[in-house]
Amino acid sequence: MSSWQKYPWIALVAARSNLAYWGDVASRFIFLGVVLYIFLRLWQVTYAQMGAAELGGFTLAQMLWYLVITESITLSGPRVAQAVDEDVRTGVLSVQLVRPMSYPLFRLSTTMGERLVRFVMNLLVGSVVALVFVGPIKLEGAGCLIFLLSVPAAFILDFLTNFSIGLGAFWLEDTSGLLLIYSRLTMILGGMLLPLELFPDWLQPVLKALPFSSVIYGPAHLLVHPDWSAWADLAIRQLSFILVLSLFVAFLYRTALKRVFSNGG
Amino acid sequence: MFKKLASYLALAVTYVKLNFLSQLEYRGAFLSQVVAMFVNDSVWVVFWVLFFTRFPALRGWNVSDVITIWALAASGFGLAHGICGNALQLASLIARGQLDVWMLYPRALLSHLLVGRMSATAWGDALFGYVVYLVMVRPDCPHLLLFVLLSLSTAVLFVGFSVLSGSLSFYLGNSEGVTEQWNFSLITFSTYPATLFEGWVKLLLFTLIPAGFVSYLPVEALRQLSLPHAAAALGGSVMVLVAGVSVFYHGLGRYESGNLMEMRG
């Protein structure tokens, strides 16, 4: 097996092991259902009160479908930072280093495998909720395609940030605070709770330029408002952030490895 | 009766002091968790401020009312789990047979068990609740006094509900997943205006998921400075606590020791 072939297999094993725990998968569906129902009511009341068919360019149905995607992306995220943090603190990392594979790529493969399963499941459950309460929206083949093209890059970008936070365990007493702050910034600045069109006009270009929106808002917006030029713009931003963050992770990882001490026995 | 109550209050104060000192042994981690939770809650306030900037009222409720909901829910949750930190661990303690060690003490089991641990992040919630109410709602003296009383009532509700949901482990075996989702549902519904919901969902909010005693009655009490609403909120909280304690002691008859060798430092 060549050095690269093992990583898709690692992703496959991670995906299959994730499917084995149905209880855990089902319990996440309850939370997703509750959140989507609350958002549905919030926006139903808001649209009715404003007497508007569209808000920020979204109809009520589009708004709920947008939220289905943003919630599916957010809730599909595996606990990468916690896993890396634990590997560092417990010394498991030194065992991983002995294995004939790159530790960051091993974590990336595991994350992508797990996340793909969770994302698809969340999407299915979210779609059922949306279909029941607001019905379908007009989807084009091209829209679905560019949406699907934008999702893997969003996951990689999110992984790189989480991995960097996990590596922080080499220097910090506790990384959970940093992780919580990152996830909340992604929620609000990434457009998970509100489409960026509903933010003040002066803030929208700033938020669109930040990496958070490339993880959540970008893909979700493409499904609801498909546009090839918007996809090209998003893809350039996603790839640029991935490049910069990859370089940062490589630097951080090399620096961190110098701090690894292991005693055999 | 009063002597016994005073004795348990003294025990709780001593535990809080000890737990606080043990948290301060990892000062950096403790502070970062408190700050992160404060930031986490602030993100939601930012969301609501942005929302109300765009849509000024929601069925007669304005941004102050929703900030009051957040202040009450956060301060109540923070006090509940800052003091009774084991309440959220109850399901796993029961499932793993870890009540044995608490049964050896000459104190009532539940009240002693609950104060045995402190949640560091909960203090971030409590701090956030009081600060955001003082800074953003700017109450006068009667409102502030009523808010403090209602935050205590909300804390009673959260403790009672955590005991109730955690006690499911006596009946279902390991109920951690169900307990966690039930608690999530309460917290999520508690942070949105109850006026969004109608019909059977509203009924649910005063029974199975008693968020109405956090997000409706206390807020109405503060809006109208109404003691009957405050009394109804307190009554609801006490009922939830009584239900939790009753289910716990009923379930205790089904408890099976884990035969675990355990030490408490």
Side-chain angles (χ1 to χ4, degrees), chain A residues 27 31 37 41 49 173 184, chain B residues 29 40 57 59 181 196 201:
Chain A
S27 69
F31 183 62
Y37 176 74
R41 288 300 305 150
Q49 224 174 244
E173 216 173 271
R184 293 312 179 252
Chain B
N40 166 56
R59 285 198 170 160
Q181 294 304 316
L196 290 177
V201 180

Side-chain angles (χ1 to χ4, degrees), chain B residues 64-88:
Chain B
S64 262
D65 297 323
V66 178
I67 287 173
T68 304
I69 291 180
W70 263 92
L72 271 170
S75 56
F77 183 89
L79 286 177
H81 300 293
I83 296 168
C84 301
N86 260 337
L88 285 176

